[in-house]
Amino acid sequence: MTVRGGGGAGEDRVRLLSLVDVFEPLSREEIDKINWQNLNTRLEPGEVFYTPMDLCETLFVLQSGRVRIYRALPEGRELTLAVLESGTVFGEMALTGQRLRASYAQAMEESEISAMCRNDVERLVLDKPAVGLQLVHLLSERLAAYETRMEGLGLKEVPARLAGLILELVETQGIRDSAGYRIPTRYTHQQLGTMIGANREAVTRAFARLRETGAVEVRRRYVHVEDLEALKVAAAGTVPE
């Protein structure tokens, strides 16, 4: 982890922060005045920067890159709770209702983050209520997605869980092309497995089932959705394992 001050890169830092969802109501001047705990912390791919041993209340701001929030399970397995794209916030903070306790945060690619302590978040929300409203909306959407994912783990077979995850990825980052939709991020079967509570082999079999329905294709590790309606039917649980 490399921590850099805001000095010469101040303007670029403010530009990145202005793209963060919860800071949309703020002007660049207001963003620049925020008292950041750590400025421009650079993370290497695969670097774990938060563990269950970290008990401080911190709101992380993901300026660029991608971060995975996961929990360690017995027998060396992992369950990915969320994959966060640049331009959002996350963290362990009672004020915002967010919880990382018992979880790990890992950079999936080269990423850059800043951090805010509880006092600074409280001051910001009291001073700029619009930021607090943005936080409420963000966390409500995140909680709904999390509940849907957890419900699927207990009630659906692996093909349906995988189809539901792909639908979620289409909604959050899908790119429309001539054949349908493409997920612009490459995911291994192992990574997808940690997101739906399945092993790599089960994900491979589930992809085979989804390909048989004409819903998806995988080319160069990119997932292509070729029949969105068929994918929705599969996500409802009608494609057997």
Side-chain angles (χ1 to χ4, degrees), residues 104-115:
Y104 297 78
Q106 178 187 44
M108 297 183 70
E109 58 191 46
E110 187 175 281
S111 303
E112 199 157 322
I113 63 171
S114 294

Side-chain angles (χ1 to χ4, degrees), residues 168-176 181-184:
E168 182 183 326
L169 295 175
V170 167
E171 291 173 1
T172 57
Q173 55 180 278
I175 297 175
R176 186 70 187 261
Y181 295 89
R182 178 174 66 90
I183 309 301

Side-chain angles (χ1 to χ4, degrees), residues 24-42:
E24 288 177 0
L26 303 181
S27 67
R28 291 197 174 195
E29 291 74 19
E30 289 171 324
I31 291 173
D32 193 38
K33 291 177 182 178
I34 295 175
N35 180 28
W36 299 100
Q37 184 179 0
N38 293 303
L39 299 179
N40 297 340
T41 301
R42 179 67 59 82

